[in-house]
Amino acid sequence: MATQDDDDEDIDPVRMILPEEQEEGKSLTMLGDGVAKQQVQQHYIRSIESTLVIRQLPSEGLSFQLWPAATTLVNLLDNHRCHPTKSPLATTLTALSNGENDRKLRILELGSGTGLVGIAAAVTLGANVTVTDLPHVIPNLQFNVDANADVVAQKGGNVDVAPLRWGENEDAVVIGREFDLVLASDVVYHDHLFEPLIQTLRFLLNGGEGDEKKVLVMAHLRRWKKDSVFFKKAKKLFDVETLHVDPPKEGSRIGVVVYRFSGKS
């Protein structure tokens, strides 16, 4: 299996971030033309026999597009609902419920982008989810939440939208720590964001003296050797374990890896 220290020479980050091929369970519709072009993608969730609709805006930047690791998390959530005892998420989610099957999980998603992961968590787990990203991403994030509001409500979930800039204490304080679980996908990419992300994770997972420690489930597709710098820092502050590894896509040696981060006691 490839490791965090493998060379980067055969990895094309643009192709990895913006895959051209469409996977099973998705359909893509192009709307508009020129720079105003939108991509409306449909994601069929087998476990609830419903389709989620996500608008992407490629001309607006990477935050407005679906990244590969998000699809991995959505598939894990979907499969967990179908086969909970066989799921890589089973131990984590069972522990969070504390035997209270009727209590809704409270989930925070970091770097939500299009919002697909958070919306999928709401429908597959019947959870109360808060999706977050930078302020300029919020309008499209809200658009996608509104577009899926009916199916989310039908499945007993709820999705709120809030801005959250990593490393900004005032944003983190407003969001708070009243969550059972934090989700993230493809949030480790630019090295100048490593320290702000670590700072936000310390607040969310470790909290203050005597606070309950939290859990992050993070899907990551390594693109650059420098990603290992983030993981080295993270392992000093959090307990990190691997929950799941996707097989590599054609043309790559490395697949998406799903990690579990938990606050150190």
Side-chain angles (χ1 to χ4, degrees), residues 73-198:
L73 267 189
V74 170
N75 289 338
L76 286 183
L77 289 164
D78 192 12
N79 292 336
H80 175 80
R81 185 176 173 110
C82 289
H83 307 289
T85 59
K86 300 178 181 179
S87 165
L89 303 177
T91 300
T92 297
L93 293 177
T94 300
L96 292 175
S97 68
N98 291 321
E100 302 175 49
N101 294 326
D102 58 343
R103 184 178 73 83
K104 291 186 179 182
L105 286 177
R106 299 161 299 179
I107 297 175
L108 174 70
E109 187 190 6
L110 301 179
S112 301
T114 63
L116 177 61
V117 171
I119 296 167
V123 297
T124 56
L125 301 175
N128 289 328
V129 179
T130 299
V131 292
T132 67
D133 213 306
L134 295 169
H136 75 281
V137 183
I138 295 300
N140 192 57
L141 192 49
Q142 186 68 62
F143 179 93
N144 285 332
V145 168
D146 292 343
N148 295 282
D150 287 346
V151 66
V152 169
Q154 290 167 10
K155 302 306 174 183
N158 181 71
V159 183
D160 293 317
V161 180
L164 177 57
R165 297 166 296 172
W166 302 339
E168 297 292 338
N169 289 335
E170 59 267 33
D171 286 14
V173 169
V174 170
I175 291 291
R177 298 185 68 251
E178 299 302 312
F179 299 96
D180 302 302
L181 176 66
V182 181
L183 295 176
S185 58
D186 269 330
V187 292
V188 178
Y189 47 100
H190 291 318
D191 52 358
H192 71 275
L193 294 176
F194 290 174
E195 193 56 42
L197 178 56
I198 288 283

Side-chain angles (χ1 to χ4, degrees), residues 4 188-190 194 220-232:
Q4 291 290 337
V188 178
Y189 47 100
H190 291 318
F194 290 174
H220 175 67
L221 178 60
R222 187 185 72 82
R223 298 176 177 84
W224 296 283
K225 191 173 182 179
K226 64 188 178 184
D227 291 3
S228 62
V229 173
F230 170 84
F231 285 91
K232 287 176 182 177

